[in-house]
């Protein structure tokens, strides 16, 4: 037991240690200050700007920034949909895979362009190497960079700066952050045993009588794997994702993947502190999120360590729950990975979440309901500050003080946008399609688990889509040729789109509104937001709003299942 907790503690210490270093680097990138890779990055950027005709100095309004996000994403989605549809006649297809059904291609295109990577297919048997690295791999960079761009534009707006230019932010996010780290990370993963090849599957004889042979899939995995984690993408090259020994062969790669998942969203809070010139507030916010994160890890890891009461009764002793887990990772690293991947909205898995005990199901669902521990690539930080704006307004009303944040008044427009973003869009994208699926389970023919776990299974699917996470409880018959695959592809596509572009637009409009406000001097009537008391109140508001919105689902799903298991 102690060894598992030590592994978790060491991982968290590494994350905390890199935060000021990486956060400071990202601040220098987006503030236009000098960095070590300037000679190479400047050359690449000048070439891209010259070819594309982007005006580097042209700042955008909130609407212009949002339109640029949507239009560029629409073009990219069309591009990868075309590759999927033509993969049967395109090169780098050693197993000669034909194109999947149109709804599978549509869902995959929407899923990857929204940085969700929810997969209703098995990678090694559905998409060719070209589709994986030229379409899906391409989107892993651009969708992650889109989220980073939105996040940094939001931070600029909060601090009174112009939002900037989306295309410039997109390119800088790739050339100066995602691409350099991915190159180094891919080389390290190759050295640790992750394959990187365009050769086809290896056919080997087995020990089975009759000379039965087995085809072992491989491919250009290493570069795919590192951007999958760093960009909070999560889509696996293989069907079982990072539980596959070619994606995640050992403890060293597992550590790299966990740190990669959390590096950008955690460090971006420190980046905010530098841009806002208030590191104290950044560390307080960081501490609040880390405290919730650690609490969730303790809940999930304890549940897995204590195991299943029914099995423990049969064994006559307490044994960890190892169902659906890789022995090379065990209960601790599996629980840490699950909480990290749903907290950061990455969606990669090194174990099957469907097999977790109810506390693990509770935590993974709660992460996707809240979306701020640590949240999506860039957008999670923006969500966090939307909660802070609501906390300022609510607290100001309670104590009769002026609602201000970073020296700018919080008024009706900001409160409406923040409330709409947090309290309406996310629940609608999850609960409405989830209710329809639960109403007609036989017609959609995809819900494989009865009772409380079946409810959690369905809601998890839509929460994963709406939160741009992509992981799944699995067990749903959502892949072709299952009869219900069309429903799951189309209904989750609605949640994918609603959960990405409505919040992004609202965040940008909120930031634009804040950027246009004149700063007001601080007085004795100003509510300070860089105090432990205010951060504690904010944590309470976050948990209360999340509980009020989604607690009935948690009560009817994981909590009810826990009582059912405990009572035999």
């Amino acid at each position: 037991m102690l060894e598992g907790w030590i592994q978790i503690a060491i991982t968290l210490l590494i994350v905390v240690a890199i935060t000021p270093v990486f956060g400071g680097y990202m601040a220098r990138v987006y503030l236009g200050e000098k960095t070590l890779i300037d000679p190479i990055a400047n050359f690449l950027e000048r070439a891209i700007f010259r070819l594309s005709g982007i005006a580097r100095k042209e700042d955008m309004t909130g609407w212009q920034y949002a339109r640029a996000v949507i239009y560029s994403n629409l073009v990219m989605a069309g591009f990868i949909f075309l590759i999927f549809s033509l993969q049967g006649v395109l090169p780098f297809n050693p197993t000669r895979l034909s194109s999947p059904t149109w709804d599978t291609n549509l869902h995959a295109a929407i899923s990857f362009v929204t940085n969700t990577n929810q997969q209703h297919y098995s990678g090694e048997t559905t998409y060719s190497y070209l589709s994986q690295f030229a379409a899906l791999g391409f989107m892993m960079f651009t969708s992650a960079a889109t989220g980073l761009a939105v996040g940094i534009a939001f931070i600029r707006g909060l601090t009174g700066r112009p939002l900037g230019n989306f295309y410039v932010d997109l390119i800088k996010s790739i050339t100066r952050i995602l691409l350099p780290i991915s190159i180094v990370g891919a080389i390290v993963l190759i050295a640790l045993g992750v394959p990187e090849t365009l050769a086809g599957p290896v056919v080997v004889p087995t020990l089975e009588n009759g000379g039965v042979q087995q085809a072992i899939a491989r491919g250009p995995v290493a570069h795919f794997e590192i951007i999958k984690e760093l960009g909070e993408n999560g889509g696996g090259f293989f069907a079982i994702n990072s539980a596959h020994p070619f994606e995640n062969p050992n403890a060293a790669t597992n550590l790299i993947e966990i740190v990669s998942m959390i590096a950008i969203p955690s460090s971006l809070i420190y980046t905010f502190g530098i841009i806002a010139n208030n590191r104290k507030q950044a560390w307080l916010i960081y501490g609040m999120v880390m405290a919730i994160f650690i609490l969730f890890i303790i809940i999930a890891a304890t549940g897995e360590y204590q195991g299943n009461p029914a099995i423990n009764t049969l064994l006559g002793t307490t044994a960890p729950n190892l169902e659906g887990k890789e022995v090379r990772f065990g209960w601790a690293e599996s629980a840490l990975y699950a909480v990290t991947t749903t907290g950061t909205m990455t969606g990669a898995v090194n174990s099957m979440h469907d097999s977790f005990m109810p506390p693990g199901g509770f935590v993974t669902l709660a992460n996707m309901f809240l979306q701020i521990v640590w949240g999506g690539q860039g957008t999670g930080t923006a969500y966090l500050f939307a909660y802070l704006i609501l906390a300022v307004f609510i607290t100001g009303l309670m104590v009769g003080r002026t609602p201000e944040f970073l020296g700018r008044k919080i008024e009706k427009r900001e409160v409406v946008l923040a409330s709409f973003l947090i309290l309406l869009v996310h629940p609608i994208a999850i609960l409405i399609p989830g209710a329809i699926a639960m109403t007609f389970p036989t017609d959609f023919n995809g819900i494989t688990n009865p009772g409380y776990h079946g409810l959690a299974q369905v809601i998890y699917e839509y929460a994963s889509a709406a939160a741009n996470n992509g992981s799944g409880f699995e067990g749903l018959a959502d892949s072709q040729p299952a009869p219900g695959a069309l429903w799951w592809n189309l209904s989750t596509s609605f949640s994918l789109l609603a959960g990405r572009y409505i919040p992004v637009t609202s965040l940008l409009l909120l930031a634009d509104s804040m950027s246009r406000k004149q700063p007001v001097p601080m007085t004795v009537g100003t509510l300070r937001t860089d105090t432990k008391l205010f951060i504690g109140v904010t944590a309470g508001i976050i948990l209360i709003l999340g509980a009020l919105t989604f607690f009935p689902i948690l009560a009817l799903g994981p909590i009810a299942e826990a009582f059912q298991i405990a009572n035999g």
Side-chain angles (χ1 to χ4, degrees):
M1 176 182 181
L2 183 60
E3 180 183 354
W5 291 111
I6 291 174
Q7 291 173 348
I8 292 172
I10 291 173
T11 305
L12 296 180
L13 288 174
I14 293 172
V15 170
V16 174
I18 68 174
T19 292
V21 178
F22 195 21
Y25 171 75
M26 288 194 291
R28 290 194 296 276
V29 167
Y30 292 116
L31 289 173
E33 299 175 359
K34 289 185 178 180
T35 64
L36 290 176
I37 65 169
D38 278 355
I40 299 174
N42 287 335
F43 173 78
L44 289 173
E45 289 165 8
R46 280 196 299 269
I48 295 171
F49 291 140
R50 190 176 296 114
L51 289 172
S52 62
I54 296 172
R56 296 188 59 160
K57 302 297 183 182
E58 182 182 338
D59 290 324
M60 294 179 171
T61 65
W63 275 116
Q64 289 173 332
Y65 209 103
R67 286 199 296 270
V69 170
I70 294 170
Y71 293 160
S72 63
N73 281 208
L74 181 62
V75 171
M76 288 186 284
F79 168 71
I80 65 172
F81 181 84
L82 184 63
I83 291 179
F84 295 156
S85 301
L86 298 176
Q87 84 167 10
V89 297
L90 292 175
F92 301 111
N93 187 1
T95 51
R96 298 180 182 178
L97 296 169
S98 60
S99 176
T101 59
W102 69 269
D103 54 299
T104 299
N105 288 339
L106 177 66
H107 178 268
I110 294 173
S111 181
F112 277 77
V113 82
T114 57
N115 197 229
T116 309
N117 296 24
Q118 189 177 51
Q119 295 174 287
H120 288 173
Y121 63 87
S122 297
E124 66 268 46
T125 60
T126 305
Y127 285 123
S128 67
Y129 289 172
L130 184 71
S131 294
Q132 295 251 46
F133 68 73
L136 302 182
F138 166 73
M139 287 311 311
M140 284 183 173
F141 279 96
T142 56
S143 64
T146 296
L148 263 175
V150 170
I152 206 66
F154 188 83
I155 290 174
R156 290 193 190 113
L158 286 186
T159 55
R161 293 174 171 82
L163 301 192
N165 185 296
F166 167 69
Y167 299 108
V168 173
D169 293 336
L170 177 79
I171 293 166
K172 277 191 172 184
S173 299
I174 295 174
T175 58
R176 296 174 182 267
I177 298 173
L178 298 175
L179 187 59
I181 299 174
S182 294
I183 291 173
V184 175
I187 293 171
V188 173
L189 289 180
I190 291 171
L192 291 172
V194 178
E196 180 75 16
T197 178
L198 291 175
V202 178
V203 179
V204 296
T206 68
L207 298 177
E208 188 175 348
N209 291 331
V212 176
Q213 294 184 322
Q214 179 181 354
I216 300 176
R218 53 182 176 170
V221 182
H223 84 278
F224 194 92
E225 188 71 16
I226 188 62
I227 188 58
K228 177 186 94 173
E229 312 294 2
L230 181 67
E232 291 187 54
N233 294 285
F237 195 93
F238 301 103
I240 59 172
N241 209 284
S242 290
H244 196 291
F246 283 177
E247 289 200 31
N248 191 7
N250 51 56
T253 58
N254 196 64
L255 175 63
I256 291 170
E257 292 187 13
I258 292 175
V259 173
S260 297
M261 280 191 275
I262 202 171
I264 290 178
S266 62
S267 299
L268 202 57
I269 297 176
Y270 189 83
T271 301
F272 157 79
I274 295 176
I275 295 176
N277 196 28
N278 194 339
R279 287 177 173 83
K280 177 185 176 183
Q281 185 170 47
W283 278 120
L284 287 170
I285 295 169
Y286 186 94
M288 176 191 71
V289 179
M290 180 62 82
I292 299 173
F293 184 55
I294 292 173
L295 174 64
F296 281 175
I297 291 171
I298 292 172
I299 293 172
T302 301
E304 297 312 298
Y305 177 74
Q306 292 177 343
N308 190 319
I311 295 177
N312 290 342
T313 300
L314 292 174
L315 295 175
T317 184
T318 299
N321 173 35
L322 294 179
E323 179 190 347
K325 296 177 177 63
E326 292 295 304
V327 176
R328 66 185 186 276
F329 303 134
W331 63 270
E333 290 298 310
S334 297
L336 175 60
Y337 202 108
V339 179
T340 303
T341 195
T342 52
T344 60
M345 303 307 142
T346 304
V349 296
N350 74 348
S351 58
M352 296 300 104
H353 293 185
D354 187 42
S355 297
F356 272 62
M357 298 303 296
F362 177 93
V363 166
T364 52
L365 279 168
N367 267 333
M368 293 186 292
F369 292 156
L370 295 178
Q371 298 192 88
I372 54 92
V373 187
W374 300 82
Q377 186 86 306
T379 56
T381 305
Y383 262 102
L384 178 59
F385 285 101
Y387 271 112
L388 282 167
I389 288 172
L390 281 182
V392 169
F393 181 74
I394 293 171
T395 309
L397 290 179
M398 292 171 63
V399 300
R401 292 194 174 189
T402 305
E404 299 169 8
F405 187 64
L406 298 179
R408 288 166 176 80
K409 289 184 178 294
I410 305 299
E411 298 176 301
K412 178 182 176 181
R413 176 178 173 81
E414 291 75 45
V415 175
V416 168
L417 284 170
S419 302
F420 174 71
L421 175 71
I422 292 169
L423 301 178
L424 287 178
V425 175
H426 196 50
I428 287 172
I430 297 171
L431 300 180
I432 290 180
I436 295 173
M438 293 299 296
T439 303
F440 304 100
T442 304
D443 298 303
F444 299 140
N445 193 24
I447 303 171
T448 56
N449 283 305
Y452 308 124
H453 194 83
L455 173 65
Q457 185 182 44
V458 171
I459 296 300
Y460 193 108
E461 184 76 2
Y462 292 109
S464 175
N468 300 140
N469 180 267
S471 66
F473 255 26
E474 301 310 327
L476 291 177
D478 53 16
S479 300
Q480 297 291 348
L486 178 64
W487 160 257
W488 296 110
N489 282 332
L490 297 184
S491 63
T492 52
S493 292
F494 160 77
S495 298
L496 290 165
L497 293 169
R500 178 69 164 183
Y501 296 110
I502 296 176
V504 161
T505 302
S506 300
L507 288 170
L508 290 169
L509 294 179
L510 176 56
D512 191 38
S513 178
M514 292 292 288
S515 71
R516 296 175 186 277
K517 291 180 179 291
Q518 293 297 320
V520 295
M522 185 175 293
T523 67
V524 294
T526 301
L527 177 66
R528 293 189 64 89
T529 59
D530 56 354
T531 65
K532 294 179 181 178
L533 176 61
F534 176 76
I535 295 301
V537 170
T538 301
I541 288 173
I542 289 171
L543 296 176
I544 289 171
L545 289 178
L548 287 175
T549 307
F550 292 108
F551 186 75
I553 293 296
L554 294 172
L556 292 172
I559 295 176
E561 186 182 6
F563 280 108
Q564 183 184 45
I565 292 174
N567 294 327

